[in-house]
Amino acid sequence: MSKLNKLLKQYKCGKKISCITAYDASMSKYLESLGVDIMLVGDSLGQVIKGERTTHNVSLDEIIYHAKCVRSGVKRSILMADLPSNTYETKNIAYKNALKLSSSGLADLIKIEIDANNMDIAHYLLTKKIPLCAHIGLLPQTIRSKSGYRKYGKTKSEAKKLYDIAIELDQAGAPIILLECIENTLAKRISKNCKAPVIGIGSGNGLDGQVAVIYDLLGISFNKIDMFTTNEKKSLDKKIINFKKRLQ
Ligand code: KIV
């Protein structure tokens, strides 16, 4: 049985799914040792690894490089990789690039950002048996201004569109659905009515699993460092300070 099918079976028995981003072997090995189910090689690497303002300039080669690093650190966990911006504009390009990630055994799941404009691509990949994580709601690859960083599905019409997209993808066989920044009651309704597990980030509790960016958990995400004085960051600070003290 594939690792993905095993996880889906466990989900049906009530397991909640944990998904954390990883970009290298040490971190993925560490996260696997703690039983994290899915390592996401996300295009958030544009921000947290490359220090850019958006995810827009991440290339497929960069995702492949980091996926190879993460793959070295994991045996049991699922490796999910993003198709980055401009790599799934047409059905054929999407399929060719998804295969680059999945056919070599690099990625167990491929994530793409989906809205009403590219549902045909999602359907095509699903008919081609690409194991797809359907990312809906806030779609960082298409955001062009700060106002795009908000909760989605607050108005009736936006909520209906998102709900319909999620149900359509579920019925088309998407094995996992990821909701980013979707209004919490809508997110719960989507999770309740989908067969597939629905995992979320910034979409409230009560879903089938949660997603986190590792540097956010550590409190040291690029561009957000000053905002975070979490206990996690304090204990990391202490380690660095002690390391420096030992030099004196
Ligand atoms: O790239 C990423 O890390 C993501 C998560 C924020 C869901 O897509």
Side-chain angles (χ1 to χ4, degrees):
M1 187 188 288
S2 74
K3 286 195 272 185
L4 179 59
N5 284 339
K6 196 171 157 205
L7 182 67
L8 294 175
K9 201 171 157 200
Q10 289 170 334
Y11 157 70
K12 280 189 189 134
C13 299
K15 182 186 172 65
K16 294 279 184 188
I17 296 173
S18 52
C19 171
I20 301 184
T21 65
Y23 313 97
D24 64 66
S26 301
M27 186 56 79
S28 58
K29 188 169 181 186
Y30 169 65
L31 294 175
E32 181 171 88
S33 76
L34 296 177
V36 172
D37 300 304
I38 303 177
M39 311 290 158
L40 168 59
V41 182
D43 60 2
S44 53
L45 73 83
Q47 290 147 320
V48 298
I49 302 291
K50 294 170 68 185
E52 294 176 352
R53 277 158 42 98
T54 68
T55 62
H56 300 171
N57 295 319
V58 174
S59 67
L60 186 58
D61 282 345
E62 285 170 335
I63 293 283
I64 290 173
Y65 170 79
H66 285 279
K68 283 183 180 164
C69 297
V70 168
R71 174 52 72 204
S72 310
V74 297
K75 290 194 178 77
R76 296 179 303 278
S77 302
I78 284 172
L79 193 159
M80 171 154 81
D82 264 339
L83 274 180
S85 262
N86 303 318
T87 64
Y88 52 104
E89 306 303 85
T90 68
K91 290 176 186 173
N92 287 342
I93 291 173
Y95 183 51
K96 190 182 87 196
N97 286 332
L99 282 184
K100 281 190 189 164
L101 289 173
S102 68
S103 66
S104 52
L106 195 55
D108 307 296
L109 264 174
I110 311 294
K111 178 163 82 60
I112 64 170
E113 297 183 7
I114 304 169
D115 61 16
N117 298 317
N118 64 355
M119 285 293 275
D120 57 330
I121 306 277
H123 276 287
Y124 184 71
L125 293 179
L126 288 168
T127 59
K128 290 289 193 183
K129 304 276 179 261
I130 296 293
L132 207 61
C133 172
H135 178 158
I136 67 173
L138 188 157
L139 306 180
Q141 290 176 9
T142 51
I143 288 181
R144 294 286 169 252
S145 73
K146 273 193 180 164
S147 59
Y149 293 96
R150 62 174 176 87
K151 279 265 185 183
Y152 286 75
K154 279 185 163 180
T155 63
K156 254 191 181 172
S157 69
E158 197 170 76
K160 182 174 173 355
K161 273 185 203 150
L162 285 167
Y163 180 82
D164 289 348
I165 286 174
I167 298 298
E168 188 175 326
L169 290 165
D170 184 49
Q171 288 173 353
I176 296 202
I177 295 174
L178 186 153
L179 310 182
E180 180 163 0
C181 289
I182 287 194
E183 195 276 322
N184 299 5
T185 49
L186 170 64
K188 260 193 197 165
R189 192 154 67 88
I190 291 174
S191 131
K192 206 170 145 225
N193 291 302
C194 284
K195 288 189 302 294
V198 174
I199 59 179
I201 179 163
S203 303
N205 300 321
L207 306 182
D208 307 315
Q210 289 290 330
V211 185
V213 173
I214 184 65
Y215 290 106
D216 289 346
L217 288 183
L218 294 173
I220 56 166
S221 278
F222 193 76
N223 283 341
K224 289 188 196 162
I225 293 174
D226 293 343
M227 286 159 49
F228 283 82
T229 46
T230 56
N231 289 336
E232 289 77 6
K233 178 167 181 294
K234 277 187 208 149
S235 71
L236 198 59
D237 289 356
K238 239 186 232 164
K239 283 187 186 149
I240 309 286
I241 289 163
N242 285 338
F243 169 77
K244 284 180 67 193
K245 265 191 197 153
R246 286 202 299 274
L247 298 177
Q248 279 151 17

